[in-house]
Amino acid sequence: MTGAAATGATTGWAARGHAERYRDRVFAERTRLTAALGDMRRRQHEVLTDLLDFNSGTEFGKRHDFGWIRDVDDYRTAVPVQDYAAHAPLIERMAAGEPNLLSADQPVVYFTSSGSTGAHKKIPVTPRFMRTTFFPFYYAAWAPLIENYADVMRRPDAVLNLKHDPLAAPPTTSGGRPHVGASQVDFGTKFGEPLSAELGTAAPWATLPVDIAPDDHLEKMYLRLRLAVQSDVRCLIGINPAMIAAVPYQLNLWWERIVKEVRDGTLGGVPYGSPDPARAAELARLADYFGIVSPAQVWPRVRALFGWTTGVASLYLPSLRDRFGAGVAALPAPVVASEGPVGVPLDRHGSAGSLVVTASVYEFVDADADLTPDVETLLPHELEAGREYHVIFSHVGGLYRYAVGDIVRVVDMLGGVPRVAYAGRANRSDAAGERLRESQVVRALRTALDATGLDLVNVACRTEHTSGASAPHYVFAVAPDSPWQAAEAGRFTTLLDEALTRESADYARARTGRHLAAPALRLLDRDAFQRDWHAAVATGIRPTQVKDRLFRQDPALWHRLTGTA
């Protein structure tokens, strides 16, 4: 889910009637998207016709004869399936200022996104894309939250928006356009959308009142928590669930400093506001009584967490929710990449969202297949519930048959329209022909956890080939939520191996053929993943981009996590 870095957000949310206008816009966009689902094929054809007509005069449009394309079959014949690397030469020319290459619209900003290689992409963002593709799903995504938890809108400081990170002087492309994360863009100024400032972007901590280096992300997170402990927070927005998972750890890591600054009336050592010895004493008593401070004690009225609920997060969200309070809901953020949306939850389903049929032309490829330029694709109405697929989309912003690198699972077909959940990245782990996808490993882990009654804080894995061993094996690094007994750990590992065998025929063949040995378990301490997450953020990576990574083959990163050579 993307967001608005709100210059002027405070005045926007404080303006008379703003909350009501915002609510009306959110519900209106949901109503329009819901209506569009009733005629999915026609709406998909309209999206295709619009992007072809609008961009037919571009270099890409001329190269692929957009003017002669009449339907999706023509389109699939004319344009190959492509990834970012295939689009990159034209994108780089656009970023240097050359017009009319991928889109007839000139990009206003470029979203940055870390690809699987770690390289920073430049995603062109045009006014037409924002109007037709982005804003409808973006507003509608908040409907389940504000419909069912209306108190999150009653005060500007009721929501702790962890991803909101405005920049006064953003980096730019060679053509002078901002090149930033989506959560750092002021959509009101850039795209004329005064209602676009998200919940929580008018809180006292949204725009920090003290000087801080733009890349000192840990200090910015500290400062926001320091301010938030003096507010009655009702909801946390993280989108990237690793950011929400970090909050309990951060409260305890910085607790003494937070309490002292509340007592003294300082922020980052600088005088700020009035000393609050009463709140400081209340906070100090929490640590004295409970030993470990939890968000539920600091903010006892938290009702909802908003972020991705699938993938690795699905394994730790149950225990994480408990740390924010009994009955706290985890509402799923949209299935979306920086390049564009795929699905948006229109109700309180715990993981899935309806395909955004007005946003892009969608195609899919079975998740077990390899993507090639001429791979055969399926259209939305051809999908099957319970199956997993590569996502390919095309939209008016200038991405054509774009393989985004994500796998989605079709949860069901609601009225003939797929509801999809993010299942993981498309990359595979393949040391001995096992070709394991993230989603297969996550399901196997879930099976083993359920069968043993165990909980975890997080998990990662890699393949290792021990000296003298005949075959490599998987090592699973697990941080338990509470200590695991040796017998429990052994049974978990056996069940995990059995579940992987059922999930993947390739894994089963590798194990049967002794090309792959039995997996091993490495138990870490409870805070290992949080320390690792902080270490990554400390290198200057924006917290929104430090995501859960199940497959961790890089030796240096594995050593940082596990503390092993």
Side-chain angles (χ1 to χ4, degrees):
M1 177 69 183
T2 48
T7 301
T10 303
T11 55
W13 273 98
R16 184 177 181 83
H18 177 90
E20 291 74 17
R21 291 192 298 274
Y22 183 82
R23 183 186 296 107
D24 290 346
R25 177 69 182 274
V26 164
F27 290 159
E29 293 292 1
R30 180 176 66 173
T31 297
R32 281 190 281 270
L33 286 183
T34 302
L37 298 177
D39 197 353
M40 176 176 65
R41 295 196 205 187
R42 181 176 69 85
R43 298 311 294 263
Q44 284 284 276
H45 181 73
E46 289 174 351
V47 174
L48 176 62
T49 300
D50 180 61
L51 74 87
L52 292 171
D53 290 347
F54 189 73
N55 292 324
S56 62
T58 64
E59 180 172 320
F60 189 93
K62 292 175 181 177
R63 185 187 302 170
H64 295 281
D65 295 323
F66 276 12
W68 293 98
I69 297 173
R70 294 294 175 263
D71 57 29
V72 70
D73 290 331
D74 291 347
Y75 180 64
R76 290 191 283 192
T77 300
V79 180
V81 172
Q82 305 175 104
D83 59 10
Y84 181 81
H87 283 77
L90 290 180
I91 289 176
E92 289 299 329
R93 287 167 57 190
M94 291 172 70
E98 190 174 346
N100 214 35
L101 298 175
L102 286 167
S103 172
D105 235 357
Q106 191 75 342
V108 175
V109 301
Y110 288 80
F111 288 163
T112 183
S113 173
S114 306
S116 57
T117 63
H120 285 288
K121 301 177 184 176
K122 297 184 183 73
I123 310 302
V125 182
T126 68
R128 182 67 173 265
F129 164 81
M130 294 297 290
R131 186 167 64 254
T132 64
T133 299
F134 184 90
F135 282 128
F137 101 89
Y138 169 74
Y139 284 111
W142 303 108
L145 176 63
I146 65 176
E147 181 176 53
N148 296 289
Y149 304 95
D151 54 339
V152 303
M153 295 189 67
R154 289 180 185 152
R155 292 175 292 100
D157 63 343
V159 175
L160 177 53
N161 192 324
L162 299 169
K163 69 186 183 66
H164 178 67
D165 186 28
L167 285 178
T172 61
T173 66
S174 58
R177 299 295 187 183
H179 182 208
V180 292
S183 58
Q184 298 177 302
V185 178
D186 176 4
F187 295 145
T189 300
K190 293 294 184 185
F191 298 101
E193 281 286 324
L195 286 174
S196 62
E198 287 177 5
L199 297 167
T201 57
W205 51 81
T207 302
L208 291 169
V210 295
D211 290 333
I212 184 75
D215 61 350
D216 193 352
H217 301 297
L218 290 179
E219 183 66 7
K220 286 193 282 189
M221 297 174 88
Y222 162 77
L223 295 171
R224 289 180 176 126
L225 279 183
R226 146 69 185 96
L227 293 170
V229 299
Q230 290 182 273
S231 289
D232 180 16
V233 172
R234 305 295 180 93
C235 171
L236 284 84
I237 295 173
I239 311 304
N240 172 7
M243 299 181 71
I244 299 175
V247 170
Y249 173 77
Q250 290 168 341
L251 283 173
N252 286 279
L253 178 68
W254 296 323
W255 191 247
E256 290 186 6
R257 184 183 175 194
I258 287 173
V259 173
K260 182 179 186 302
E261 291 219 283
V262 171
R263 180 185 300 113
D264 296 345
T266 60
L267 180 66
V270 178
Y272 177 82
S274 301
D276 192 350
R279 178 58 172 164
E282 182 181 16
L283 294 172
R285 281 194 296 271
L286 295 177
D288 291 341
Y289 184 80
F290 293 102
I292 295 177
V293 180
S294 75
Q297 297 150 7
V298 179
W299 304 297
R301 294 184 181 88
V302 168
R303 303 184 63 201
L305 310 175
F306 190 89
W308 295 318
T309 61
T310 57
V312 175
S314 67
L315 302 174
Y316 63 71
L317 268 177
S319 58
L320 177 64
R321 281 203 313 265
D322 290 342
R323 302 194 72 181
F324 285 88
V328 170
L331 297 180
V335 182
V336 64
S338 298
E339 294 91 335
V342 180
V344 60
L346 302 176
D347 55 25
R348 282 192 281 181
H349 190 282
S351 63
S354 296
L355 201 65
V356 191
V357 298
T358 61
S360 301
V361 177
Y362 294 103
E363 300 173 66
F364 301 87
V365 176
D366 186 273
D368 286 327
D370 294 322
L371 291 182
T372 60
D374 59 352
V375 67
E376 291 189 10
T377 63
L378 299 169
L379 299 178
H381 67 276
E382 298 174 307
L383 304 186
E384 298 178 31
R387 299 285 298 276
E388 293 184 349
Y389 301 93
H390 296 275
V391 180
I392 298 166
F393 57 60
S394 307
H395 59 61
V396 75
L399 298 181
Y400 304 105
R401 305 198 76 201
Y402 182 84
V404 70
D406 289 338
I407 300 291
V408 297
R409 183 177 184 84
V410 178
V411 173
D412 57 25
M413 301 289 285
L414 192 62
V417 179
R419 282 205 297 185
V420 298
Y422 174 74
R425 294 292 293 165
N427 57 304
R428 298 186 181 103
S429 182
D430 191 11
E434 72 277 16
R435 291 166 56 90
L436 278 175
R437 300 194 310 273
E438 284 186 15
S439 59
Q440 293 172 316
V441 179
V442 168
R443 282 196 297 274
L445 286 162
R446 178 78 274 159
T447 298
L449 290 169
D450 289 345
T452 54
L454 299 171
D455 288 311
L456 53 74
V457 173
N458 213 321
V459 58
C461 66
R462 76 190 298 256
T463 54
E464 293 182 356
H465 202 148
T466 306
S467 178
S470 60
H473 67 282
Y474 276 84
V475 179
F476 285 84
V478 173
D481 190 49
S482 58
W484 292 7
Q485 303 302 317
E488 292 175 324
R491 183 162 179 258
F492 171 86
T493 309
T494 299
L495 291 170
L496 175 58
D497 188 31
E498 294 172 355
L500 287 169
T501 300
R502 291 191 297 272
E503 283 288 339
S504 168
D506 290 324
Y507 180 89
R509 280 190 290 270
R511 290 284 288 119
T512 302
R514 299 185 179 181
H515 304 299
L516 197 64
L521 184 66
R522 179 168 291 141
L523 295 178
L524 309 180
D525 70 271
R526 196 179 194 284
D527 292 333
F529 281 85
Q530 302 306 334
R531 289 195 303 272
D532 181 72
W533 192 85
H534 269 228
V537 173
T539 66
I541 305 173
R542 292 179 57 238
T544 53
Q545 295 185 344
V546 184
K547 301 169 185 174
D548 294 316
R549 296 296 181 194
L550 179 61
F551 298 139
R552 302 201 188 193
Q553 203 59 36
D554 184 289
L557 298 182
W558 182 259
H559 173 63
R560 189 180 70 186
L561 171 66
T562 63
T564 57

